Amino acid sequence: MRQTRVPARAQQKDAGDQKRIARFTTTANKAKEAASMYRAVADDTRTEKQLRQLHRAEPRARAEVQQSQQTQAARIVQRSWR
């Protein structure tokens, strides 16, 4: 087989293409990573919102249970007096 020499200009083009591809790949990977982080932050935000809603609802639920128990106790007292 005969070896052929690749002209210097062709080698420069190949090297430039490889660098360009590497930059595009790096940019694409960074974009994927940023999108992943954005989704993670969005998920964390949703979770935090749900926890805050539960935190606000808990005292109301406790008050309702306490009121229900007091009402039930009052009914029992009224029945026992009859």
Side-chain angles (χ1 to χ4, degrees):
M1 250 204 278
R2 209 165 29 144
Q3 290 182 349
T4 57
R5 297 186 112 208
V6 178
R9 180 69 181 141
Q11 286 180 343
Q12 286 176 344
K13 282 187 175 182
D14 288 345
D17 288 346
Q18 288 176 351
K19 287 179 184 177
R20 212 172 299 117
I21 289 170
R23 272 197 319 264
F24 289 145
T25 303
T26 302
T27 302
N29 288 339
K30 285 182 181 179
K32 286 179 186 177
E33 184 179 337
S36 175
M37 290 175 63
Y38 177 80
R39 283 191 296 273
V41 169
D43 289 343
D44 290 347
T45 302
R46 273 188 233 104
T47 302
E48 180 69 23
K49 183 179 179 181
Q50 291 172 346
L51 289 173
R52 286 177 188 227
Q53 288 174 345
L54 287 173
H55 182 71
R56 285 188 208 113
E58 186 180 9
R60 281 183 260 149
R62 285 184 181 173
E64 289 174 6
V65 168
Q66 185 177 11
Q67 184 179 8
S68 174
Q69 289 174 344
Q70 289 173 350
T71 304
Q72 188 176 13
R75 284 182 189 157
I76 292 172
V77 169
Q78 286 178 354
R79 285 183 191 159
S80 66
W81 282 24
R82 290 183 184 177

